[in-house]
Amino acid sequence: MTSEAKAAEVAAADPASPPLTERQEARRRRILHASAQLASRGGFDAVQMREVAESSSVALGTLYRYFPSKVHLLVATMQDQLQHMHTTIRKRPPAGATPAERCAETLMRAFRALQREPHLADAMVRALTFADRSVSPEVDTVSRLTTAIILDAMGLKDAPTPEQLSAVRVIEHTWHSALITWLSGRASIAQVKIDIEMVCRLIDLTSPETDHQP
């Protein structure tokens, strides 16, 4: 299995749920758009369920059937943003010479996309931080999408090794942590870039072609 096929498999491994009708999907898209717009203007606190319902032209009860809480809604908004990033990155793949360089380039592109909407980024990250077990399926989907983005960026000819998949998990943790420290004002974009480039080197260090002998 190629890395691209593996990425698609990872991204598609969502919990089984009935497919939405065209009308339901359109309603869901309106809700997510309204959520992102409100968050972009005022962050986490600006996303109020009643305002989301009004902005998306759905009844409040209907909104709660789609998303039981604001945290569910904002985590779903992050899913939506990551899916958009994934599509964009596939259309314009990274140009780095090594899997590590391609991974770092991709994650920094994703980071800069979030940088352009700092209030939205803060709202989504706060939702992930506040998420309890009831939001686990949505949080897991965010993680799978992040994994799929990294695997696609790596551009491996063969399926990733267990060691490389472990490296990907460490990269995900570092990327998420870097996003939090930047949003809190404790790290500059320059420092984030250094950290992302450093952790992405794990990909090349765990490559089967790398000589691990001392």
Side-chain angles (χ1 to χ4, degrees), residues 48-61:
Q48 300 297 323
M49 297 296 272
R50 187 171 297 280
E51 288 190 39
V52 172
E54 291 175 356
S55 298
S56 56
S57 301
V58 302
L60 186 59

Side-chain angles (χ1 to χ4, degrees), residues 73-131:
L73 173 57
L74 283 169
V75 173
T77 302
M78 188 163 198
Q79 292 176 24
D80 192 55
Q81 295 291 313
L82 286 172
Q83 286 167 343
H84 178 70
M85 288 180 192
H86 199 184
T87 300
T88 300
I89 289 166
R90 280 182 163 178
K91 290 179 179 177
R92 188 166 63 88
T98 68
E101 290 176 1
R102 293 191 289 271
C103 177
E105 178 187 337
T106 294
L107 290 179
M108 286 310 300
R109 280 169 58 184
F111 200 96
R112 291 189 180 98
L114 293 171
Q115 184 188 7
R116 290 192 289 271
E117 296 283 0
H119 291 307
L120 173 59
D122 181 65
M124 295 187 301
V125 170
R126 286 179 65 182
L128 282 175
T129 303
F130 295 154

